[in-house]
Amino acid sequence: MANGLLLGGAVAALVTAAMPAHNPSSGFVDPPPDKIVINVATVNGSGCRPGSAAVAVSEDNTAFTVTYSEYLAQVGGNSDPTAFRKNCQLSLVVHVPSGFTYAIASADYRGFASLQSGSNGVQRASYYFQGSSQTVFKTHTFNGAKNDNWQATDTTDWANLVYAPCGVQRNFNINTELRVNAGSSSASKVSFMTMDSTDGDINTVYHMAWKACPGK
């Protein structure tokens, strides 16, 4: 994927009503009026080689989807010794309307796991803004024996959301990882884990939360 590829272009206009004040008991507020554009600065990692990852923004601008076609970690059998761990780091430039900021409220991951008895697979993600010391980590573990689809959701409480700084353009970084550990399973048998949908692509959805900047 070429650096600076504009994904989705100028997406559809959002609702034109003014953004209401947030009430923690009422859930997430509506997204701000105007448009959001997401631009990919870099895509790096063993799980997202060039050309194997894409980002699309939803029509209502409340979410974006990252789709991968080569994201698989495995151990055992004739597996490459380095194949037990795969990762992908996305660095995104998110252009938001003046006077608003955003955070990632939740992320949905899904895939398939074929894990021998005694082995396990781990899906991990970290979220942080460029130049910020605040990093949110989420980890999900799946134990063998397992031969089925898996799904995981990272959810952040409203009070713990880390928002982009108001009035400052900072890249938003998402680093995901798949790791398969052989554990006590037979070294001759392969265990693997992917993030993939029924069409063979990885489909990860990130949901945005919004708030008005002070003084707006």
Side-chain angles (χ1 to χ4, degrees):
M1 178 178 294
N3 289 350
L5 175 64
L6 187 62
L7 298 170
V11 294
L14 292 169
V15 294
T16 57
M19 185 178 182
H22 172 66
N23 179 347
S25 64
S26 65
F28 296 120
V29 294
D30 292 331
D34 211 330
K35 298 180 179 179
I36 177 174
V37 177
I38 294 179
N39 195 45
V40 174
T42 58
V43 180
N44 292 307
S46 55
C48 55
R49 298 188 301 172
S52 67
V55 180
V57 184
S58 65
E59 290 187 0
D60 65 0
N61 303 315
T62 61
F64 62 93
T65 300
V66 183
T67 303
Y68 305 90
S69 58
E70 301 176 358
Y71 205 151
L72 180 148
Q74 66 179 47
V75 295
N78 296 321
S79 302
D80 187 296
T82 64
F84 76 97
R85 178 186 178 274
K86 295 294 178 70
N87 83 296
C88 183
Q89 175 154 317
L90 299 172
S91 183
L92 305 173
V93 181
V94 183
H95 302 278
V96 297
S98 176
F100 291 92
T101 185
Y102 73 98
I104 300 299
S106 67
D108 299 319
Y109 300 91
R110 68 185 185 197
F112 186 83
S114 179
L115 302 171
Q116 303 294 332
S117 179
S119 69
N120 66 73
V122 176
Q123 183 268 320
R124 188 171 191 259
S126 60
Y127 310 89
Y128 62 98
F129 289 98
Q130 179 185 18
S132 173
S133 61
Q134 293 177 285
T135 301
V136 177
F137 295 93
K138 301 287 185 178
T139 301
H140 304 274
T141 301
F142 303 88
N143 295 315
K146 180 179 178 67
N147 191 50
D148 201 356
N149 295 318
W150 64 267
Q151 184 169 346
T153 299
D154 295 344
T155 302
T156 305
D157 291 339
W158 185 270
N160 295 324
L161 286 173
V162 179
Y163 283 92
C166 285
V168 179
Q169 181 64 65
R170 297 280 178 84
N171 287 13
F172 184 67
N173 298 303
I174 303 168
N175 192 4
T176 60
E177 174 184 332
L178 288 180
R179 183 186 297 263
V180 179
N181 305 299
S184 61
S185 65
S186 171
S188 65
K189 294 183 178 180
V190 174
S191 292
F192 68 87
M193 185 174 177
T194 71
M195 279 195 287
D196 56 9
S197 61
T198 54
D199 61 5
D201 289 333
I202 299 158
N203 195 350
T204 302
V205 181
Y206 299 89
H207 304 271
M208 293 179 175
W210 301 88
K211 73 174 182 179
C213 291
K216 299 295 181 180

